[in-house]
């Protein structure tokens, strides 16, 4: 069930899985599980919080007897808030995941965020209740401002249940000039998820499926060897 992600957007991990960068998140694609989780950069803020709490603790231990009592209380309360929140956020950034699509369990799970450390279940969708996956894009149509299109494109990968309920798996905002890259990233994750759950993925009106070189991301002409080709979408 392994899906080959085009090389120009793939980051290969030592454990054999593949990463695709999204918006402040990444999709980790394996043969039997796909995880959409926070990007590595999100560990910076909780580390700063823990470092600040450590500095406050050092200050209280070394100079606590020379400061007013009310200041000690404020510092202690600050530490009591910073430490658990930063620790939970750090755990979520390192080992937690926002969405887990697991072929062994036969389900897609949306997990709790900050306070839940990416562990508690928020939405649970068995594979048999999935109707299809859909890539959507906002900002590419003329709107209320002098019929101009936006400078940004907001791509989203949406899971549509048989009941009609729509759940967002991932979002990829990109500048207008980078919309092909945004579509490639969103569609690559969508195709990987669709293959894992045994479903299909649709693309927005005005886009068409083409074959690209998996190494360069360039569109293949008819004479190009198809062994290197992979489905992608381009604006008509």
């Amino acid at each position: 069930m392994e899906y080959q992600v085009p090389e120009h957007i793939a980051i290969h991990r030592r454990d054999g899985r593949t990463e695709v960068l999204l918006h402040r998140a990444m999709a980790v694609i394996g043969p039997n599980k796909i995880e959409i989780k926070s990007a590595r950069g999100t560990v910076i803020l909780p580390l700063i919080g823990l470092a600040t709490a450590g500095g406050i603790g050092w200050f209280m231990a070394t100079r606590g007897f020379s400061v007013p009592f009310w200041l000690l209380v404020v510092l202690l309360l600050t530490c009591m808030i910073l430490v658990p929140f930063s620790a939970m956020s750090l755990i979520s950034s390192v080992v937690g995941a926002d969405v887990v699509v697991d072929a062994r369990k036969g389900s897609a799970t949306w997990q709790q965020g900050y306070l839940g450390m990416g562990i508690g279940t928020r939405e649970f969708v068995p594979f048999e209740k999935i109707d299809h996956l859909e890539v959507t894009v906002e900002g590419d149509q003329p709107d209320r401002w002098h019929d101009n299109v936006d400078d940004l494109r907001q791509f989203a990968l949406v899971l549509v249940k048989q009941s009609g309920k729509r759940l967002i798996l991932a979002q990829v905002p990109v500048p207008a000039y980078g919309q092909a890259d945004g579509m490639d990233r969103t569609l690559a994750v969508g195709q990987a998820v669709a293959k894992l759950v045994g479903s299909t993925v649709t693309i927005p009106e005005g886009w068409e499926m083409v074959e690209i070189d998996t190494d360069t991301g360039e569109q293949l002409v008819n004479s190009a060897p198809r062994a290197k080709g992979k489905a992608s979408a381009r604006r008509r």
Side-chain angles (χ1 to χ4, degrees):
M1 300 181 71
E2 188 172 1
Y3 172 76
Q4 181 185 356
V5 177
E7 288 296 324
H8 68 289
I9 59 172
I11 301 174
H12 299 289
R13 296 163 53 113
R14 294 180 179 177
D15 59 8
R17 295 186 293 174
T18 302
E19 292 180 7
V20 176
L21 295 181
L22 306 170
H23 174 56
R24 299 180 62 186
M26 58 185 177
V28 182
I29 301 172
N32 296 295
K33 180 188 290 187
I34 297 173
E35 296 177 304
I36 299 175
K37 57 200 305 182
S38 299
R40 296 186 184 92
T42 57
V43 303
I44 296 176
L45 190 59
L47 287 176
I48 292 175
L50 291 175
T52 301
I56 293 175
W58 175 84
F59 177 81
M60 292 174 61
T62 57
R63 301 189 180 183
F65 295 104
S66 61
V67 298
F69 177 75
W70 66 266
L71 181 57
L72 286 176
V73 173
V74 171
L75 293 175
L76 181 60
L77 290 175
T78 301
C79 285
M80 291 176 63
I81 295 173
L82 272 179
V83 172
F85 275 72
S86 297
M88 287 189 294
S89 182
L90 183 62
I91 293 172
S92 177
S93 299
V94 175
V95 300
D98 298 323
V99 183
V100 178
V101 183
D102 195 331
R104 294 188 179 94
K105 297 180 179 179
S107 63
T109 306
W110 278 253
Q111 302 188 135
Q112 297 288 352
Y114 191 73
L115 291 178
M117 298 183 293
I119 297 174
T121 300
R122 182 162 54 90
E123 292 279 354
F124 178 82
V125 183
F127 286 176
E128 58 269 19
K129 292 187 177 182
I130 298 174
D131 186 73
H132 68 279
L133 295 151
E134 181 180 333
V135 175
T136 64
V137 59
E138 297 179 2
D140 63 339
Q141 298 294 329
D143 58 13
R144 59 188 178 277
W145 185 252
H146 301 301
D147 290 331
N148 292 325
V149 296
D150 293 341
D151 292 331
L152 294 175
R153 301 288 185 270
Q154 175 74 26
F155 290 91
L157 177 61
V158 182
L159 183 147
V160 183
K161 298 176 63 176
Q162 292 178 350
S163 63
K165 186 174 183 179
R166 301 168 65 86
L167 299 170
I168 295 177
L169 282 159
Q171 292 182 316
V172 184
V174 294
Y177 61 81
Q179 63 178 358
D181 180 73
M183 173 59 82
D184 282 345
R185 294 179 185 278
T186 311
L187 183 59
V189 178
Q191 289 177 324
V193 173
K195 187 173 182 64
L196 199 64
V197 305
S199 184
T200 59
V201 57
T202 63
I203 60 176
E205 183 179 355
W207 291 76
E208 62 181 348
M209 299 297 294
V210 298
E211 195 170 9
I212 64 169
D213 188 298
T214 56
D215 295 326
T216 65
E218 297 297 326
Q219 183 174 343
L220 293 175
V221 295
N222 293 334
S223 60
R226 296 184 61 85
K228 296 178 67 178
K230 206 68 180 177
S232 182
R234 291 291 185 269
R235 187 75 179 171
R236 289 198 186 103

